Each structure stands twice: as structure tokens, then as C-alpha cells.
Amino acid sequence: MSSFGFSRRAALRGAVAAGVATATVATAAQRAQATLPGSKGRITYRIGTDIWIAEADGSSPRVLVANSPADTGRGSWAPDGSRFFYGNGRRRPESIRADGTGRYEFPWTRGGEISDLAVSADGRYLYHAAGRKLSYAGTDGTWMQSVPVYDRPMDGPIDQSPAVSVDDVVVFTSAVTDWLSDIYRVDGQRSVTKIITNGREPDFSPDTTKLVFSRYDAERNSWHVWLASADGTNQRQLTTAGVQNRGPVFSPHGDLVLFSSGTGIKRIDIATGQVTDVPGTQNASSPTWQPVLTNYVTRVWGATALGTAVATSRYSYATHGAGPIDPRWPAKAVVLSRDDTYLDALGGSALAVQKEGPLLITPTRSLDPQTKAEIDRLLGGSGTVYLLGGLVALSAKVEQQLTSAGYATVRLAGRDEYETAIAIAREMTPNPDTVIVTTALKYYDALAAGAAAGASRDTVIVLSAGDTMPASTAAYLNGIDPTQQAVVGVGGPGCRAIENAYARKQLPSWRSRPYWPVSGATEFETAVAVAEFFFTSPHVAAVATATTWYDALTGGAMAGWYGGPLLLSTPGSLSPQTEAYLNRCAASVRWPTLLGGPLALKQSLVEPLGEAVSAPGQSVYLESTETWEPFQAARSSLRRVDPPPRLNNTRPVPPSDGAV
């Protein structure tokens, strides 16, 4: 866990939570719900206080979670089958891998029992019942605490048993008692409509057209499984025998329904109506069915550092004039930096994302032909190229080569790297929501911060000289109101520089020193801390080597463009801190990406990277090079259909004075 407190992080991002998720936080990129589509994986069920897992036919049963209170309701699988989520009876959700490893207890609590979990179709959000209210949280368990889905008083019926459709519709049970309950639907505007009278425990079919639910028959004092259209119409009873047919869930193919019968788990074929027992499930209840989907590990790389920069550009941005046949987003500009040092470009990743273009590199004296060809591919002979640094960084010849080719140039420079970072920040916005302070003396912290700044609205980076605040940076910060704009120190040196600047009275306009310290004991831990602080359940996560800066610099702009963090690793094996973070985020991360070739990050990282975010054996390896085109791959791992997400889209709340 990172070094900053969850309460402070939750306060900073709490305003975001209120604005991001109503009932419609999932995206249509991943089809699904409570039982999600995919191959038919294993099933889980409760016996007493234990959660069991078995093959779909009931064979090979074993205890998955021991001593989990029986009253915490059914759990839910991640859409790819990588993690199972359940209530633990301690007002906190937990998740675990199908093999019983990676058990993770969420760090926050909420008043009332956390139960009846349902993962959204994109794997990012965990819907649940919490203290009478339907609520949601991020599946990675980091900053976003449980938040009510819609507004209503705490008295009245109890919200239970949510399910989420591919269309981002939430249905849930509103119960007065166990046998007096109805099923309601929440739309994107948080309006709530009753769709089924006398029903509970709904579950969407994988194609989102149908619901199964249980209904109490007061005349016969029995429960039965029913089928209906997704809007609650066309209701049809599926079971007739037995008296305790409860908790129905669809199979990942939508052809079968599991339910508990009071004596064990049964399975019904919807087409034929045939009911069969699931062997080995005597006295079991609360069944779930695991979907199994494939994730894609992609290596984005070139033969050289310049080539890798071009590869990240090709991976992200369309060829000029290609139109809708190219699934990538059209670039609007290019950011260009020197290839022999990172100093001028530490704020360039965020700038590139804001300007909707890649960060490319070139030798100082002359424009590299491969880089020039990529600029031409993207912009087609017109548009803006932003030059980072003065003439010592990128010569007059480089600028002349660009202008001769038809491009407008904007040079962002100062007398040193500190002033250049400020010039970049001012180009991005005169009034930032968030200012990141990180050291220029080591590249690790700033590169992780660059991707985060790119993915966050109106977030800029300024630089310290280790523990010391340069005069130019101090002057910039002195114009920031830390009670209205968030200041985030990334890495130990950046945090200490803020403290020292305040103590040395370099910030006379600051009446206090509220800032957010985000750091770890190593560069790997700091990158994870940045990921936890700025991202909630990302779909994309990029991994770069910590031994050099090239791939992390240009690849960080790519990661920020896709709304994901930049993580670090050693070349020969996936760093434990990075692997642990990805394992925890497995429900949402579908596209883990290696930046750089096998010399930068060895092929031995591919398997553990895929296993960290996938069900066992369910990852596919792809490569994207500096010559890659979308039609050359059987499946492009990322397809841009709209601008990148901006999760951090409200002004953050600053911490109290001296938060450390």
C-alpha cells in the first residue's frame, strides 16, 4: 500500500465520484453483467460460512474462501473471470483469484453490511448493497469509497441484489421483508422505476435482453424462478417443483440458469425446461457462474528508442486522411523533444495528451528521418509541432526542417529545465486544477507523474531540484492557491522540496502548506502510488523499464492518452510491486502493455504480466512496432472511438494543513 492515507485520497477524489458514476458507469466496450458472456468457467456457491468453487458440472469442488459469513449474499465475477468479489461480514468487500491466491480486502469501510456484489460490465465498478442503500465503488479498492447510486432517505425499503446490464442499466431488489419485495430499474439520470412487482434477486442475461428472478408464492408458501424481458414484461415461470428455488443466475452463454433449491444447486435449461441437480452441492446456496474472457498483452516497440516512440504513435493515432476506416483517433498536433536527455520533456507527456498527439524524439542537430516520416503520417504536411526546450535542445535546423515541410512550430523553452516545465504548464492551462511537483534530478517519479497528468484534466507538472525548490518553480507555486488548487508531491524529493520551500518562506502567499504527498520507498512503489492516487480501475496499464528513460517518456504519453498509469519494472522479471498492483486491478485491466523491445523488458515478463490480469491461461500476446497498421493485426487491442476518458474532472478538495 502506498504511503498516503486513504481518508485524504478519498477526500480529494470524493467530488469526482459524485460526478462520474450514477447507474451508468460501465462502457459498451465489454458486453455483460452479473453473469457475463464468455466461455463457461467454474461455479461458486456457499455452504455454511464457506464459499466453494467447482467445475461447471460440480466436479473438483474445493473451498475458495473459508469462514465468510453466510449472510453477505452472492458474489460476482470480474468480466474476464480473473477475480471473484464477495462480502466478508466486516463491512468491507474482498476479492480473490480463482485459485485462491491474491486475496485482497478493500481498505475502506461503510456503515452497514457490504453484501450482494455485482461487477459492472467493464470491470471498473463494484455495485453492492451497503447499509440499506444501493452503492458502488471501484473494483481496485483504492481511493473511491462506497458511494450511493441514487439519492433517497435511509428509512424505507432496503436495496439488495443489484445486477448490471451491457447497456449500463442497474436493476435491484427493494425489500420491505424477504417476501415483500419488488425489482426496480435505475437509468442514467438516477431515476428509479419499478419494473417487477413481487420479485427479488434479478440477474441479466449475457445479451441483456432478459432477466431471471425469484418470486414468492404466498398461497403455496414457496419460491420459484421466473423469466422476463429486461424491462420486466413477458414474465414466465420457469420452476414448478420444490419450495425454495432462489438466487437464479444465467450461464455465460445464456442458455442455462443456476439456482439454489433448498437442498442444493440445480440447473435449468431455458429452452427445454429440464431441471438437473449439480452434483456435490448439497445444502449449497447463492450460486454464481464464472465467465472466461481473453486479455491482450501488447508489446509496443521499435528497433531503437526513436523507433519505440514512433511505435507508440502508430499504436494510438490514425494516418492523416484515412477517415473512419482507421480505428485510431486522428492526431491534432505533435510534441517533439531531444533524444539525448529527458530534462526538457518531463512535462511533455501531459502536453502531448492535451494536444491530442504523440510525444516523439529526435537528435538535437537535425530532424531524424523516421521521426519526420511519422509526423508526416500523422499531420499530412500541416498542423502544429511543439518543440520542447531552446536551441541547445532542438536546433534552429530542426525547426527550419519542420517549417519548410509546412508545419507551424511552437517552442516552449526557458533558461533551464525548470523554466521549460513552467512554459509547458502555462501552455496547457493558465489555471490548473492540479499541480504535480516532482524532481528533475531522477527521471523515475516524473515519468510516472507524466502519464497521470495526461490522463487528468488540467493537471500540470513542475520540477524541483531534488529536495530544493528552484526560484522559478517557487514563483510559479506562489501563484497557486493550495486551498483551491490541489498540489501533489510525487516522490520523496518532490514532497520534501514543497516542505522546504514553505519552511524557507519561498511561498509567501501560502497561508498553509496543504499538499498531497504521493511516494514510495522505491521508484516501483512510487509509480504504484501514483497509479493508485490518480486512477480508478483502469482498462490500460503500461510497463516500462526503470533502467532507462526513453520508453517511459514517449510511452507515458501513450498510457495517459488511453487513461492508464505508467508502471516500472526491472528488465528481467516483473517487479513485485507492479505485479501486485496489476493483480489487484485485474477486474478492469484488459490491455497491459510492455513499452520497448526485449532488450528493455525481456520476453520473460509476458507470461506473468498476462497472468496478473487474466484468468489462468487466458492472455494473448501481440506486438505493435514502428511499421504497425491496424489491419495487420487479427485484433487491435485498443480501438479509439471517442476521446480519452477524463475521470478527474472536478476540482479536488485540498487536505488539511501540513498533510503528510
Side-chain angles (χ1 to χ4, degrees):
M1 191 178 88
S2 57
S3 60
F4 49 88
F6 283 101
S7 61
R8 299 183 183 119
R9 177 178 51 207
L12 175 61
R13 298 304 175 208
V16 180
V20 171
T22 59
T24 60
V25 292
T27 68
Q30 173 61 57
R31 300 285 165 187
Q33 179 14 31
T35 300
L36 298 158
S39 301
K40 293 178 181 178
R42 297 183 175 98
I43 60 173
T44 66
Y45 46 85
R46 289 182 176 271
I47 300 179
T49 61
D50 297 334
I51 299 175
W52 287 68
I53 188 169
E55 299 299 324
D57 62 2
S59 63
S60 304
R62 60 178 174 82
V63 174
L64 179 63
V65 181
N67 299 319
S68 176
D71 61 352
T72 53
R74 69 187 182 196
S76 181
W77 285 97
D80 60 355
S82 60
R83 296 193 78 89
F84 180 70
F85 294 80
Y86 58 95
N88 65 8
R90 293 187 293 275
R91 298 185 178 184
R92 296 180 179 181
E94 287 189 5
S95 67
I96 196 169
R97 305 301 293 249
D99 61 2
T101 64
R103 185 169 177 173
Y104 176 69
E105 182 180 54
F106 282 42
W108 47 260
T109 61
R110 179 168 171 81
E113 185 61 73
I114 301 291
S115 63
D116 297 337
L117 308 182
V119 179
S120 65
D122 64 354
R124 298 194 64 200
Y125 297 98
L126 183 66
Y127 289 91
H128 53 276
R132 307 179 71 95
K133 282 191 174 185
L134 180 65
S135 301
Y136 73 97
T139 53
D140 61 358
T142 55
W143 61 262
M144 196 179 74
Q145 298 192 46
S146 180
V147 178
V149 169
Y150 69 101
D151 299 322
R152 73 164 178 80
M154 287 296 291
D155 57 349
I158 301 172
D159 296 343
Q160 297 173 331
S161 307
V164 193
S165 80
V166 63
D167 301 314
D168 308 328
V169 174
V170 177
V171 293
F172 66 97
T173 301
S174 181
V176 176
T177 65
D178 188 41
W179 59 89
L180 291 177
S181 55
D182 303 314
I183 297 174
Y184 284 76
R185 167 189 176 120
V186 188
D187 68 19
Q189 302 304 315
R190 300 191 183 190
S191 63
V192 181
T193 305
K194 183 166 71 173
I195 59 172
I196 294 176
T197 300
N198 185 18
R200 64 181 299 120
E201 304 166 326
D203 185 45
F204 276 105
S205 61
D207 66 2
T208 202
T209 63
K210 296 181 287 292
L211 287 171
V212 286
F213 62 97
S214 60
R215 170 171 283 164
Y216 179 65
D217 185 337
E219 182 177 343
R220 295 175 175 80
N221 191 27
S222 62
W223 288 88
H224 287 288
V225 175
W226 286 66
L227 180 73
S229 298
D231 61 359
T233 61
N234 302 315
Q235 298 177 17
R236 175 166 66 92
Q237 188 171 337
L238 292 181
T239 63
T240 55
V243 295
Q244 285 293 327
N245 302 310
R246 302 287 301 270
V249 292
F250 276 101
S251 71
H253 289 176
D255 55 340
L256 304 172
V257 171
L258 286 180
F259 62 95
S260 59
S261 65
T263 59
I265 305 300
K266 295 182 182 292
R267 179 171 56 231
I268 184 169
D269 187 306
I270 293 178
T272 66
Q274 181 180 2
V275 177
T276 56
D277 294 321
V278 177
T281 63
Q282 292 79 9
N283 301 316
S285 63
S286 302
T288 67
W289 207 321
Q290 176 196 27
V292 178
L293 295 173
T294 299
N295 293 326
Y296 294 85
V297 178
T298 303
R299 184 188 292 277
V300 181
W301 70 291
T304 65
L306 276 74
T308 295
V310 169
T312 65
S313 176
R314 280 188 170 270
Y315 189 68
S316 305
Y317 295 102
T319 298
H320 180 76
I325 65 170
D326 194 320
R328 298 165 295 185
W329 193 253
K332 295 182 179 179
V334 169
V335 176
L336 187 64
S337 183
R338 63 197 295 181
D339 69 349
D340 59 343
T341 183
Y342 57 86
L343 293 172
D344 292 320
L346 291 178
S349 295
L351 176 69
V353 176
Q354 190 207 58
K355 300 300 184 182
E356 298 187 24
L359 174 58
L360 301 176
I361 56 178
T362 186
T364 294
R365 294 184 178 181
S366 182
L367 186 61
D368 177 78
Q370 187 179 19
T371 300
K372 168 63 163 54
E374 180 62 10
I375 295 172
D376 290 340
R377 184 189 74 84
L378 295 168
L379 302 181
S382 64
T384 302
V385 179
Y386 292 87
L387 306 179
L388 304 184
L391 295 177
V392 174
L394 293 173
S395 68
K397 181 178 179 182
V398 170
E399 188 166 5
Q400 186 272 327
Q401 288 174 295
L402 290 166
T403 56
S404 295
Y407 301 108
T409 59
V410 176
R411 188 179 288 273
L412 302 174
R415 290 173 294 181
D416 53 29
E417 60 267 31
Y418 308 107
E419 291 189 2
T420 296
I422 292 168
I424 293 170
R426 294 193 189 283
E427 172 65 29
M428 291 180 62
T429 174
N431 186 36
D433 279 348
T434 303
V435 179
I436 296 174
V437 181
T438 189
T439 181
L441 301 187
K442 296 285 187 180
Y443 53 80
Y444 315 112
D445 300 343
L447 294 178
S456 306
R457 195 193 73 175
D458 291 340
T459 298
V460 301
I461 294 175
V462 294
L463 302 174
S464 71
D467 295 358
T468 301
M469 195 71 74
S472 56
T473 304
Y476 178 86
L477 292 174
N478 200 48
I480 296 296
D481 182 353
T483 65
Q484 299 296 319
Q485 298 157 287
V487 177
V488 180
V490 168
C495 295
R496 291 190 293 272
I498 296 172
E499 291 281 355
N500 291 336
Y502 185 81
R504 294 166 184 167
K505 303 189 183 305
Q506 289 181 279
L507 306 171
S509 72
W510 288 25
R511 296 183 179 180
S512 60
R513 63 182 193 285
Y515 78 100
W516 298 88
V518 179
S519 66
T522 66
E523 61 267 33
F524 309 106
E525 292 179 14
T526 294
V528 168
V530 170
E532 290 176 338
F533 189 80
F534 283 96
F535 299 91
T536 295
S537 307
H539 288 317
V540 176
V543 180
T545 178
T547 59
T548 62
W549 56 268
Y550 304 97
D551 301 336
L553 178 68
T554 57
M558 184 191 81
W561 170 247
Y562 284 111
L566 175 72
L567 305 168
L568 299 174
S569 180
T570 56
S573 60
L574 190 60
S575 296
Q577 302 89 339
T578 297
E579 185 171 19
Y581 171 79
L582 291 171
N583 195 306
R584 192 167 67 250
C585 296
S588 65
V589 175
R590 297 298 312 280
W591 299 288
T593 303
L594 294 171
L595 297 171
L599 293 178
L601 294 171
K602 293 184 179 179
Q603 204 68 8
S604 57
L605 272 70
V606 171
E607 182 176 355
L609 187 59
E611 291 297 303
V613 302
S614 308
Q618 294 300 315
S619 63
V620 172
Y621 177 63
L622 301 172
E623 291 190 357
S624 177
T625 69
E626 64 261 58
T627 61
W628 180 83
E629 289 290 346
F631 61 83
Q632 293 176 345
R635 170 173 177 163
S636 173
S637 60
L638 296 175
R639 294 181 181 273
R640 287 236 57 81
V641 294
D642 49 32
R646 292 291 182 268
L647 291 180
N648 303 340
N649 56 2
T650 58
R651 187 178 300 282
V653 179
S656 60
D657 179 27
V660 292

